[in-house]
Amino acid sequence: MKLFVYHTPESTPEDSLPDCAVVIDVLRATTTIATALNAGAEAVQAFKDIDELMTVSSQWLPQKRLRAGERGGAKVDGFDLGNSPLDCTPEVVQHKRLFLTTTNGTRALERVQSASVLITAAFVNCQAAVNYLLEKEPSTVWLVGSGWQGGYSLEDTACAGAIAHSLVSKIDYQVANDEVIAAIALYTQWQDRMLEMFEQSTHGQRLLKLDCHRDLEYCAQSNILDVLPIQNEAKVLIKS
């Protein structure tokens, strides 16, 4: 298995795709996706563009859809939900499709939507992603952080490092770029202080200003969900 880590979707090669892409947006899109599917959502459909989301979701019965999303961390005006995983309870999301748009995560999903396999991961379901990769052993794997508006995000690279750290002790692997080594080093430094790292990160600071400390606490938990979101059609993620 050839492992690559990319800090942002913009840093991925434009002329190739992996056998398996793992999209990571810990704060908060991929945490929310995993939580919603675990709570019984029918699917999560991701959109980079709000207008496209409104057009597609309008074709669904109101009782079967939830419009969810944020810009700059704040809920989009007129939407049912923001991008908080804490809102994704069974009472709210069960048997419904989430139409989701976010500042960063949905951009990353769009970048690698044509990969042979696309899954998403966060700390809350990190082991589920590791288990899938160990079982399927794809030849090339991209761990793609979503970053923040094209820039580096500490928490996404740390999660990529957690996945890589779990894989390298169990499989025959090849480190395909130096970012893999850096991601593992970052994770091992902070693995017992993940919430502290989130609170210090620029993305975490933005969420704290929006009174989202409970979101940080939730997103910092490891392996509380045994669910793997996987793409079954372009930008539509279901529970594997």
Side-chain angles (χ1 to χ4, degrees):
M1 184 186 297
K2 292 181 69 174
L3 279 178
F4 297 79
V5 167
Y6 295 105
H7 299 310
T8 67
E10 291 79 9
S11 64
T12 59
E14 295 183 356
D15 58 352
S16 64
L17 284 166
D19 296 303
C20 181
V22 184
V23 171
I24 301 166
D25 186 6
V26 174
L27 297 176
R28 296 165 288 174
T30 58
T31 302
T32 296
I33 290 167
T35 303
L37 292 176
N38 187 70
E42 175 263 334
V44 178
Q45 188 163 352
F47 296 86
K48 181 172 67 173
D49 181 73
I50 293 175
D51 290 336
E52 183 187 4
L53 182 153
M54 295 298 293
T55 298
V56 174
S57 63
S58 66
Q59 301 168 22
W60 285 65
L61 293 172
Q63 61 268 31
K64 291 291 186 181
R65 75 179 184 221
L66 289 167
R67 291 167 174 154
E70 56 78 21
R71 285 297 182 268
K75 176 183 171 185
V76 176
D77 288 343
F79 274 29
D80 302 296
L81 303 172
N83 185 31
S84 173
L86 300 178
D87 292 336
C88 296
T89 63
E91 295 77 14
V92 172
V93 306
Q94 197 163 40
H95 307 309
K96 296 180 181 179
R97 177 169 294 205
L98 262 70
F99 294 86
L100 178 68
T101 182
T102 71
T103 307
N104 305 294
T106 48
R107 288 172 33 256
L109 286 166
E110 184 169 284
R111 165 63 190 96
V112 292
Q113 66 179 353
S114 297
S116 300
V117 176
L118 190 162
I119 62 176
T120 68
F123 281 107
V124 293
N125 71 324
C126 182
Q127 190 60 48
V130 170
N131 292 344
Y132 178 87
L133 295 171
L134 290 174
E135 177 187 353
K136 301 298 183 181
E137 294 191 10
S139 294
T140 56
V141 175
W142 289 5
L143 304 174
V144 183
S146 297
W148 177 265
Q149 298 181 345
Y152 173 87
S153 279
L154 199 64
E155 66 281 353
D156 292 345
T157 296
C159 186
I163 295 171
H165 183 262
S166 293
L167 290 174
V168 297
S169 63
K170 297 174 182 175
I171 58 168
D172 182 16
Y173 73 97
Q174 176 184 347
V175 170
N177 62 1
D178 286 350
E179 287 89 334
V180 176
I181 300 167
I184 292 172
L186 179 66
Y187 168 70
T188 55
Q189 178 180 350
W190 288 95
Q191 59 183 316
D192 298 321
R193 297 178 293 140
M194 204 55 62
L195 179 58
E196 181 185 345
M197 188 189 77
F198 287 6
E199 291 169 341
Q200 292 186 29
S201 70
T202 55
H203 201 158
Q205 288 290 315
R206 281 187 288 270
L207 291 174
L208 288 173
K209 290 176 182 177
L210 295 167
D211 296 322
C212 293
H213 192 266
R214 288 182 61 230
D215 279 28
L216 296 189
E217 291 176 334
Y218 180 85
C219 294
Q221 297 178 94
S222 293
N223 302 319
I224 60 170
L225 303 178
D226 185 21
V227 60
L228 183 72
I230 189 167
Q231 180 176 261
N232 72 331
E233 59 181 280
K235 294 183 286 185
V236 176
L237 295 149
I238 62 170
K239 182 178 178 180
S240 143

